Amino acid sequence: MANKTLFASLRGRLVPEATARNAEGAPAYTYAPKHALAQLAMTGTLGQLFYASPEAELATAVRLAEEVEPEYLAKAAIHARAKGHMKDMPAVLLAVLARVDPVLFRRAFGKVVDNGKMLRTFVQVMRSGQTGRKSLGSRPKAMVAEWLNEASDWALLQANIGNDPSLADVIRMVHPKPASPEREAHFAWIVGRPCDVTRLPKAVQDWLAFKAEGESGGKGEVPDVPFQMLTQLPLGQRQWTKMAERGSWQMVRQNLNTFQRHGVFERPKIVHQLSAKLRNRAQIAKARVLPYQLMVAAKAASADLPAEIRAALHDAMEVAVENVPAFEGSVAVCPDVSGSMTWPVTGWRKGASSAVRFVDVAALVAAAVLRRNPGARVLPFDHEVHTLRLEPRDTVQTNAERLAAIGGGGTDCSAPLRALVGKGRVPDLVILVSDNESWIDAKRGRGTGVMRAWVALKRRNPEARLVCIDIAPYGTTQAAERQDVLNVGGFSDAVFEQIAAFAAGRMGPAHWVGEIEKVRL
């Protein structure tokens, strides 16, 4: 007989050779620089992760930013902010762009720095020296000064909340030339210099008067200023209620327990009013809320909150994921529930780690797909596939919590694919949600376990398509990109839009990078 290893069948050759090793040392595939940057831009949080330190993640981001063309770098920064709703990574990419192409930097600046917090984050990144320079430089200084002069009074008040650097630090650094006497007074008040109080914005004058009254009882009308400016003042129940009524959707979502402690929910009328706000479609869209932010609110919600408020959080989740499409054909969604997925999704940061873990996001994707595709099969996996009965008509939040409560073992990303083939139930679309750190299926042979299993599945259904949602910034995948395989990073509206287009055959695997390249500067 001929040597079976040397003369392997064509079937084995359909599995591409692995091009890398993942963090577990198992076979994997690398991304091209543009794709790698896109994946990092949409998932990187610069926190301590299970397999990566923030220093390593930052170094990779800077290296990739320098490898791609400056125009693509600018577009990736904008896309990560506008579509991915990311915070730190867009500022890092913008800081590198400031060094490599000042002209493109100027064009991208306003689309990335869209509020005062992003402005302070950008300045902090620039001053750190981690992106190649320790000072702002003339062009960045000019852009920051321009933002300070063009921002609304309200935007400046919001920007004035927080430190390291504070807004006062930023003003002292760039020395903006005030565009008006009113703005000159506002800058002076922020940095603590004497100013003409009558030229300050009315909201600031009202706050100063309220603060003075508060020292003797705090019974006046609550001024219309950012919530954080009021929380340290002696407020009564009526004033807390007024703040809750006037608060933005995100402010209400973040402070439900605070309102409970101060008696806001003792009035049924306010409970109804805030519940209606939480489930309001227009306000949810305006807040650019990600479903996992609602998961944070639900996890943090006190058991003492009114049932109507808790129900409104579930309703808000349904609204946040209602753009998940109903896919044509049969669907299987495979959330990774292994041990490495139990890390905080924002990375570990002392005193600032998110309560939401990678496994929660994976479970949330699966529950959202099931909600809109009741016939979908859900195969949660770690070193094996777990059996769990889910009801499509249950809320997304409920099913996500059930999924996230299981697993915790090693990682075998090919396990659900093998299970599908073994049971003869080969779907038209498979969605795999993972951090891609598979190692149990690392056997000798070509490629990865996922690609070997995928080739076997394709023999049963040649039209099948595989989407791998990578929710961690580790830089490798278990599925080589080709016409029937899409790798996409992050968890936002953009991900579901692209899955739908790919499943319907309206886009190829390079489409995700193509979407970034469509960004207009």
Side-chain angles (χ1 to χ4, degrees):
M1 293 290 292
N3 185 315
K4 292 182 179 179
T5 301
L6 183 61
F7 297 101
S9 68
L10 179 61
R11 289 180 180 178
R13 296 298 180 186
L14 295 176
V15 179
E17 290 279 10
T19 58
R21 295 276 170 176
N22 64 19
E24 286 281 4
Y29 300 98
T30 56
Y31 296 118
K34 283 186 176 181
H35 193 134
L37 182 66
Q39 192 261 355
L40 188 58
M42 295 292 277
T43 61
T45 58
L46 300 175
Q48 179 67 49
L49 299 175
F50 193 89
Y51 289 109
S53 68
E55 293 81 10
E57 187 181 334
L58 178 59
T60 300
V62 173
R63 174 179 59 79
L64 289 170
E66 292 173 339
E67 286 183 14
V68 301
E69 299 89 347
E71 184 172 351
Y72 182 82
L73 172 59
K75 293 179 176 182
I78 295 170
H79 186 80
R81 180 60 182 161
K83 291 291 186 179
H85 313 312
M86 300 299 287
K87 299 175 183 177
D88 294 346
M89 197 56 72
V92 170
L93 302 186
L94 187 65
V96 176
L97 184 65
R99 174 167 53 83
V100 300
D101 195 317
V103 174
L104 284 173
F105 162 76
R106 183 177 183 86
R107 292 165 64 183
F109 183 88
K111 296 181 179 180
V112 175
V113 179
D114 55 2
N115 61 34
K117 188 172 182 179
M118 278 300 297
L119 182 82
R120 293 190 295 104
T121 299
F122 170 72
V123 172
Q124 179 185 6
V125 170
M126 289 289 290
R127 291 176 67 201
S128 71
Q130 297 293 327
T131 60
R133 61 196 302 175
K134 293 185 178 181
S135 63
L136 284 178
S138 58
R139 185 65 60 91
K141 275 188 177 181
M143 295 304 299
V144 171
E146 184 176 310
W147 189 96
L148 291 168
N149 261 319
E150 293 183 353
S152 66
D153 291 335
W154 181 262
L156 279 183
L157 287 178
Q158 290 182 311
N160 196 34
I161 297 164
N163 295 296
D164 300 321
S166 66
L167 187 62
D169 294 332
V170 174
I171 291 172
R172 293 189 189 100
M173 270 185 266
V174 302
H175 304 291
K177 184 177 181 180
S180 67
E182 289 73 20
R183 187 51 52 99
E184 181 179 12
H186 202 165
F187 287 163
W189 175 74
I190 290 171
V191 301
R193 295 200 307 263
C195 65
D196 183 350
V197 175
T198 63
R199 291 191 179 276
L200 288 174
K202 184 178 185 303
V204 175
Q205 295 184 46
D206 292 344
W207 180 82
L208 290 171
F210 180 81
K211 184 180 179 182
E213 290 178 5
E215 293 172 355
S216 59
K219 297 181 180 180
E221 285 298 315
V222 179
D224 187 10
V225 296
F227 175 75
Q228 295 89 335
M229 292 178 65
L230 298 167
T231 54
Q232 301 303 314
L233 301 179
L235 305 175
Q237 181 189 34
R238 182 182 65 82
Q239 293 163 328
W240 278 103
T241 300
K242 186 69 174 178
M243 289 163 58
E245 288 179 304
R246 200 165 57 198
S248 68
W249 188 93
Q250 286 284 26
M251 188 274 266
V252 171
R253 191 255 314 171
Q254 292 169 336
N255 292 280
L256 293 173
N257 292 340
T258 301
F259 296 148
Q260 172 71 15
R261 288 195 304 271
H262 289 91
V264 171
F265 296 129
E266 291 179 8
R267 295 175 57 193
K269 177 181 177 182
I270 301 302
V271 172
H272 298 329
Q273 184 177 332
L274 295 186
S275 296
K277 176 178 287 189
L278 286 171
R279 58 169 62 96
N280 183 280
R281 278 179 167 76
Q283 294 205 39
I284 290 171
K286 183 180 179 181
R288 297 194 300 182
V289 60
L290 290 176
Y292 82 77
Q293 292 175 315
L294 285 161
M295 184 176 280
V296 171
K299 280 179 172 289
S302 166
D304 297 330
L305 284 176
E308 187 174 350
I309 293 291
R310 300 178 71 88
L313 290 174
H314 281 259
D315 292 343
M317 177 73 82
E318 298 295 318
V319 173
V321 301
E322 67 182 5
N323 67 323
V324 176
F327 302 113
E328 294 183 8
S330 55
V331 181
V333 57
C334 313
D336 183 348
V337 295
S338 64
S340 63
M341 295 285 285
T342 61
W343 215 252
V345 73
T346 56
W348 185 87
R349 299 180 183 186
K350 187 176 181 180
S353 296
S354 169
V356 176
R357 305 160 298 167
F358 284 113
V359 67
D360 296 315
V361 173
L364 189 55
V365 173
V369 171
L370 179 64
R371 191 75 170 92
R372 296 284 289 127
N373 300 267
R377 297 190 64 204
V378 180
L379 292 83
F381 70 92
D382 48 17
H383 59 275
E384 63 182 353
V385 175
H386 294 270
T387 300
L388 181 68
R389 180 171 177 174
L390 299 174
E391 295 295 336
R393 296 194 66 173
D394 283 345
T395 66
V396 170
Q397 181 75 39
T398 298
N399 279 334
E401 289 173 354
R402 289 173 182 165
L403 280 165
I406 62 176
T411 310
D412 183 350
C413 287
S414 62
L417 300 180
R418 295 197 309 271
L420 289 169
V421 174
K423 294 181 179 180
R425 301 177 181 178
V426 180
D428 300 304
L429 174 66
V430 179
I431 302 172
L432 186 73
V433 193
S434 175
D435 64 357
N436 276 312
E437 296 305 314
S438 189
W439 58 274
I440 289 178
D441 54 354
K443 300 176 181 178
R444 299 180 68 177
R446 291 176 67 91
T448 63
V450 167
M451 288 308 294
R452 290 192 294 271
W454 183 244
V455 168
L457 188 149
K458 289 282 287 187
R459 289 200 293 269
R460 300 286 187 90
N461 183 358
E463 301 303 316
R465 289 174 176 261
L466 172 64
V467 175
C468 296
I469 302 179
D470 194 346
I471 56 177
Y474 297 140
T476 63
T477 179
Q478 289 293 295
E481 205 154 82
R482 59 188 204 180
Q483 285 304 115
D484 58 345
V485 177
L486 171 69
N487 284 292
V488 61
F491 177 45
S492 66
D493 296 348
V495 171
F496 287 119
E497 294 167 4
Q498 289 154 17
I499 292 174
F502 182 72
R506 298 194 303 270
M507 59 173 269
H511 184 79
W512 189 37
V513 169
E515 284 298 296
I516 293 175
E517 291 177 329
K518 289 180 184 177
V519 171
R520 301 188 64 168
L521 293 174

